[in-house]
Amino acid sequence: MNDLALQVTQRNLRKRYVTNALSAKTHQQIIEQFGRYPHRNKLLERESTEDEEKYLKTTHNGFALSVQSLKSVAVEPIDKNETTSPTQSDCPLLKILVLHGFRQNANSLKRSAKNLFKSLKDVATFFFANAPLPYNSANEGKEQLPTAFGDENSPETSYQRIWWNSSADSKTYHHLDVSLHYIDKLFQSEGPFDGIIGFSQGASLCTILCALQPFGNISFDFSILISGFTPRAACYEHLMQPNSIKNQPSVHIYGVNDALVDNDRTIELAAIFENPLVLSHPGGHFTPNA
């Protein structure tokens, strides 16, 4: 756990790993001191020693304080005569995972497409994922960003993230396994998610997830892919054939003036799905806000 806390590059995840490492150390110290968890004694009808009683009276550990005797748990009786019927307000909102593009991050996509997500607030809640991999190459394609995204939507250069690094021939996606592991853990900790919105490289990643699912904890019902392109990694080539992804409703959106991803590439991606819905907007390589 200490090693993980040192290895993670994403700040909010590092804080979580540090917390988990401290908790693991606390648990280890309790076992070393008592040979068991004293806070479980009452539930397991074990007699506590004098030292354990002292620990239980003074501990501030949340996991110890949260345990209570089964006999003290009261169950509220159910009124069988009380009937309720669901209303529109009772219906749960959809929960959607959002995957940003190459050299973006969660905050930059959330900011650039704020009108879109605001207009859908009565339909869904959104979880904006940050790719676990930092972008390190020096200025590659930097001059293309303002032209492709527009000044307002251009990704932050100080904290750019990527889902993988492609080889020169785009046949190998380096460190994609790290991103797949990260997404799997997100579904476990923050999910389940009803669907995924992916932009650019995030749309390509979503396509891989569609083809692989169910995969570990990853399972979702629909996808919305914006300025996407077909994954070209050799290991997934057999999954990227026309009409190969079935029973997965999908919407594919492209900007007719997209300077980074040709429209034909987005249309080619849509063809991998069964019965895709393809839409366009008059802009470029960005998430439409209209």
Side-chain angles (χ1 to χ4, degrees):
M1 294 300 297
N2 287 333
D3 289 343
L4 280 175
L6 294 173
Q7 293 169 9
V8 172
T9 58
Q10 195 171 343
R11 283 173 290 184
N12 61 330
L13 279 182
R14 186 188 301 119
K15 183 177 180 181
R16 183 184 301 176
Y17 276 116
V18 168
T19 300
N20 290 343
L22 292 173
S23 178
K25 184 177 180 180
T26 300
H27 281 74
Q28 182 183 12
Q29 290 172 339
I30 293 172
I31 293 295
E32 289 175 348
Q33 182 177 356
F34 301 109
R36 61 183 184 179
Y37 292 122
H39 60 278
R40 296 181 179 171
N41 289 348
K42 195 170 185 179
L43 287 175
L44 298 175
E45 298 181 349
R46 297 188 306 215
E47 186 174 347
S48 296
T49 65
E50 185 176 337
D51 288 340
E52 288 176 336
E53 289 285 1
K54 184 178 179 180
Y55 161 77
L56 291 172
K57 290 178 180 178
T58 59
T59 182
H60 296 290
N61 294 322
F63 60 84
L65 298 174
S66 65
V67 176
Q68 54 184 322
S69 170
L70 289 175
K71 295 179 181 179
S72 66
V73 178
V75 178
E76 292 292 333
I78 298 175
D79 184 354
K80 294 184 179 180
N81 295 320
E82 184 179 329
T83 58
T84 59
S85 58
T87 64
Q88 182 67 30
S89 60
D90 295 326
C91 296
L93 297 176
L94 294 173
K95 191 172 183 179
I96 299 177
L97 176 65
V98 183
L99 306 178
H100 63 75
F102 182 69
R103 295 173 65 176
Q104 281 187 309
N105 59 50
N107 287 333
S108 65
L109 179 57
K110 184 178 181 179
R111 183 180 65 250
S112 64
K114 60 183 178 182
N115 291 338
L116 172 66
F117 298 116
K118 183 178 179 181
S119 69
L120 296 173
K121 64 182 177 63
D122 294 330
V123 177
T125 60
F126 301 93
F127 184 93
F128 296 84
N130 245 339
L133 305 172
Y135 178 75
N136 295 318
S137 294
N139 299 323
E140 179 185 345
K142 188 174 181 179
E143 68 283 351
Q144 293 178 290
L145 293 180
T147 302
F149 288 89
D151 292 334
E152 182 181 351
N153 299 313
S154 186
E156 299 172 6
T157 56
S158 61
Y159 197 60
Q160 296 176 345
R161 315 297 296 183
I162 59 175
W163 298 106
W164 65 77
N165 247 326
S166 294
S167 59
D169 61 1
S170 297
K171 294 297 183 182
T172 302
Y173 286 175
H174 298 294
H175 307 304
L176 173 59
D177 58 321
V178 175
S179 291
L180 291 177
H181 177 74
Y182 167 69
I183 296 295
D184 180 67
K185 293 304 179 185
L186 270 186
F187 268 80
Q188 184 180 40
S189 62
E190 306 292 343
F193 296 103
D194 297 290
I196 295 179
I197 293 178
F199 173 70
S200 194
Q201 192 186 51
S204 188
L205 173 60
C206 181
T207 303
I208 294 174
L209 298 176
C210 288
L212 292 178
Q213 73 162 333
F215 174 70
N217 297 294
I218 299 171
S219 179
F220 54 99
D221 298 327
F222 64 87
S223 54
I224 300 172
L225 309 180
I226 304 168
S227 294
F229 53 89
T230 302
R232 291 186 283 179
C235 60
Y236 297 123
E237 188 174 353
H238 65 290
L239 298 175
M240 300 300 152
Q241 301 305 310
N243 209 38
S244 60
I245 298 179
K246 302 181 183 297
N247 301 317
Q248 177 79 192
S250 63
V251 177
H252 305 262
I253 304 171
Y254 65 89
V256 295
N257 294 311
D258 194 326
L260 284 185
V261 178
D262 292 340
N263 295 168
D264 289 344
R265 296 178 68 190
T266 300
I267 294 172
E268 178 189 71
L269 172 65
I272 297 172
F273 290 77
E274 182 181 46
N275 300 320
L277 174 61
V278 181
L279 305 171
S280 66
H281 62 87
H285 191 72
F286 55 79
T287 302
N289 270 316

